[in-house]
Amino acid sequence: MKIPSIYDSSRVRSCLPHFIIFFLTCYVHRLESAQFTVAGPGHPVTAVVGEEIVLPCRLSPRMSVEHMEVRWFQREFTPFVHLYQHGEDEFGQQMPEYHDRTELSKARIMEGIVDLGIINVRRSDEGQYHCFVGDGAIQDEVLLELKVAASGSVPHISVEGHQDGGIRVVCQSSGWYPQPQVLWRDPKGQPLSAATETKSEEEDGLLEVKNSIIITENSNKNLSCSIRNTHLDEERKSITFYISDSLFPRASPWMVGWSVTLVILLLFVCLAWFLFRLRGKHLDTINKFCTELDWRKALRDAANVTLDPDTAHPRLLLSEDGKRVRWAETWQPLPDTPERFDTWLCVLGREGFTSGRHYWEVEVGDGQWAVGVSRESASRKGWISLSPQRGVWAVRWWQDQFQALTDPRTPLPLNPPSRIWVCLDCDRGQVTFIDAGTEVLILTFPPGSLPGERIRPLIWVLGGTELRLSP
């Protein structure tokens, strides 16, 4: 048995301080390399009611947050707006008003970009948002401010009787936020002073404004009303309104009242005639496509449309025959190719059409969905606006509303059908949607809407529903 010498023990004691210094240096270096800061845009972000918005947030220096916690919240840490942890989204304690309306962009999560997308923006979404990123003891957050704005309807001008020796004219419009600026102008564009203004809040939190002006016999009788949203730099302008001299008070006020009523009636008659002509032209266009004797006989057989798995979002599950698609609760391990949707839960049809007439039937479920067509070159990455301007023509059922995906969205007066015929006329550049059960027209995009390029079927699915293609 060997007994350690004094020389050996002293050697160990002399090496110990060096080992401690080396260990502390490595530990401090590891802490310093793991440090990061969370950065936002540095200015308020403005969103439009009913549209989509992306709240930017990223790490500096760039690093992967795949195994970190990313939490978006408002005043309280919990409940949250959106939570990502353990490599997946968590919805257990999400604020109810954000259910099915938020998604963390995964496209660049390896680069430390954790932007939050909010769809169908509401007035109540306005406020401050915290973007928190944590990795154990290392954590940071940034505060963002979201401003919400809405541009309302085209102003409507009406005459509401005599006042102060003149005629009281009212400009009225609804659907605004925040409080808009109202301007009366003469034919040269010069502003006129208004008398009174009132506002009232609608059920969705938006504002209805009424602004009145007194027009006297000696003042300019040609006028128009403009309402401007200063946040969006958008303006809605009424038609130019003219007040006849005969409408001003004379010896017989009842004659003036009768004249005002007559003018209003004439305006309504002209408006009704214009709408009737417009409706007639619209119906003629539809009939050329859908009611030539029997449009189904003209088209003969439905197109055999199947879904293309190479374009499907990773949260969608397709059947083997490509005829059914449903939303999946988990993210599928699929390659992020250029043709695959990475944010919108969409899938395209395998088939593309460049000429002729084609139709196919889609059986929709009880959840939230959209059906239509997309041009081949339409973008499939990020929070794009699904609208004709971005190459998508579709209708959708979303939060108990049946809408056409225009910009802005167009409410449809019909109840959502259980089966929809999508009718595509490539030669005329238009698409029509029909209730397959009742054969009632839903919507037609006008001729020339679609570009002269390859057009493919499109389906968007959200929540527990399944869509089927027939036959």
Side-chain angles (χ1 to χ4, degrees):
M1 178 175 179
K2 183 179 179 180
I3 301 175
S5 65
I6 298 175
Y7 175 77
D8 293 333
S9 61
S10 62
R11 184 179 180 181
V12 171
R13 287 195 298 272
S14 64
C15 292
L16 184 59
H18 296 285
F19 177 79
I20 294 174
I21 293 173
F22 175 79
F23 176 80
L24 291 176
T25 301
C26 293
Y27 182 75
V28 171
H29 177 73
R30 180 182 178 186
L31 287 179
E32 289 178 348
S33 63
Q35 291 287 353
F36 58 82
T37 59
V38 180
H43 56 78
V45 179
T46 300
V48 180
V49 171
E51 296 299 317
E52 301 84 26
I53 190 63
V54 174
L55 300 181
C57 183
R58 56 203 61 200
L59 270 62
S60 179
R62 292 186 177 184
M63 63 180 67
S64 173
V65 297
E66 186 177 11
H67 300 295
M68 298 185 188
E69 176 182 336
V70 180
R71 183 185 296 261
W72 283 87
F73 63 97
Q74 291 183 318
R75 292 172 296 276
E76 303 293 337
F77 204 70
T78 302
F80 49 79
V81 176
H82 194 97
L83 176 61
Y84 171 89
Q85 63 180 1
H86 307 307
E88 61 182 8
D89 296 312
E90 301 285 347
F91 301 101
Q93 295 182 339
Q94 186 182 36
M95 298 171 68
E97 56 268 33
Y98 291 98
H99 183 61
D100 287 339
R101 291 202 302 126
T102 64
E103 183 164 353
L104 192 73
S105 177
K106 309 296 192 312
R108 302 180 65 185
I109 198 170
M110 303 298 291
E111 302 175 20
I113 297 177
V114 290
D115 299 347
L116 179 70
I118 303 177
I119 60 177
N120 193 26
V121 172
R122 303 171 181 173
R123 159 69 182 86
S124 58
D125 291 341
E126 186 173 78
Q128 294 182 331
Y129 291 75
H130 296 257
C131 176
F132 169 90
V133 180
D135 185 14
I138 310 301
Q139 58 188 39
D140 193 19
E141 67 179 81
V142 67
L143 183 65
L144 293 80
E145 183 176 2
L146 175 63
K147 292 183 177 294
V148 175
S151 292
S153 59
V154 174
H156 169 70
I157 297 180
S158 60
V159 175
E160 293 197 359
H162 298 94
Q163 182 177 333
D164 301 331
I167 296 177
R168 183 170 180 261
V169 183
V170 175
C171 176
Q172 184 174 357
S173 179
S174 60
W176 294 88
Y177 188 82
Q179 176 73 13
Q181 181 184 16
V182 183
L183 292 174
W184 292 91
R185 293 188 176 95
D186 63 18
K188 296 182 179 180
Q190 297 300 314
L192 304 172
S193 59
T196 60
E197 180 173 334
T198 61
K199 65 177 180 179
S200 59
E201 187 168 315
E202 303 173 40
E203 291 182 358
D204 54 4
L206 304 182
L207 300 176
E208 180 183 49
V209 294
K210 293 180 67 176
N211 192 289
S212 64
I213 189 172
I214 305 300
I215 302 299
T216 62
E217 189 171 4
N218 297 324
S219 63
N220 201 315
K221 306 177 190 65
N222 281 306
L223 71 160
S224 63
C225 172
S226 298
I227 303 183
R228 184 178 186 82
N229 187 316
T230 56
H231 281 44
L232 300 176
D233 196 24
E234 291 184 357
E235 182 173 309
R236 300 281 192 266
K237 183 178 179 181
S238 70
I239 60 173
T240 301
F241 195 83
Y242 174 77
I243 300 179
S244 172
D245 290 338
S246 61
L247 298 182
F248 289 90
R250 295 289 189 271
S252 303
W254 67 270
M255 288 294 295
V256 177
W258 169 251
S259 301
V260 172
T261 303
L262 181 60
V263 170
I264 294 175
L265 287 175
L266 288 175
L267 287 174
F268 275 110
V269 170
C270 293
L271 180 62
W273 177 81
F274 173 77
L275 293 176
F276 178 79
R277 288 290 302 276
L278 185 64
R279 181 176 180 271
K281 292 180 179 180
H282 187 59
L283 288 177
D284 288 341
T285 301
I286 296 169
N287 289 336
K288 280 186 177 181
F289 177 69
C290 294
T291 58
E292 296 174 1
L293 298 177
D294 184 342
W295 69 267
R296 287 177 297 170
K297 293 179 180 179
L299 295 175
R300 296 184 180 178
D301 298 321
N304 185 20
V305 173
T306 56
L307 300 176
D308 185 358
D310 292 336
T311 66
H313 187 280
R315 291 289 290 271
L316 297 182
L317 290 177
L318 274 62
S319 62
E320 292 185 1
D321 60 0
K323 290 291 188 178
R324 292 173 293 154
V325 58
R326 64 181 177 87
W327 181 79
E329 295 185 359
T330 58
W331 195 279
Q332 307 300 308
L334 299 175
D336 186 16
T337 56
E339 60 267 22
R340 188 180 304 283
F341 288 93
D342 66 353
T343 303
W344 284 100
L345 302 177
C346 294
V347 60
L348 298 180
R350 289 181 183 272
E351 296 71 23
F353 307 101
T354 57
S355 62
R357 292 179 174 180
H358 313 273
Y359 86 97
W360 57 93
E361 180 180 309
V362 183
E363 181 180 340
V364 297
D366 297 329
Q368 302 182 80
W369 48 262
V371 297
V373 297
S374 169
R375 67 186 184 195
E376 179 74 33
S377 60
S379 176
R380 304 172 197 176
K381 303 296 183 183
W383 289 95
I384 60 174
S385 174
L386 298 182
S387 64
Q389 290 84 347
R390 292 301 185 94
V392 173
W393 295 263
V395 295
R396 75 173 179 182
W397 176 248
W398 167 256
Q399 294 189 342
D400 298 330
Q401 293 184 358
F402 197 26
Q403 303 172 328
L405 290 184
T406 55
D407 188 9
R409 306 308 190 206
T410 302
L412 298 175
L414 305 176
N415 292 324
S418 59
R419 293 181 295 120
I420 294 178
W421 284 328
V422 183
C423 310
L424 174 64
D425 189 336
C426 296
D427 299 332
R428 293 177 59 85
Q430 74 179 48
V431 61
T432 297
F433 299 91
I434 296 177
D435 185 333
T438 62
E439 300 189 15
V440 172
L441 172 71
I442 298 173
L443 173 73
T444 291
F445 287 95
S449 299
L450 278 64
E453 66 174 90
R454 192 166 182 250
I455 302 298
R456 299 174 66 178
L458 175 139
I459 289 179
W460 173 79
V461 184
L462 182 64
T465 186
E466 180 179 89
L467 274 67
R468 302 169 182 259
L469 290 168
S470 297

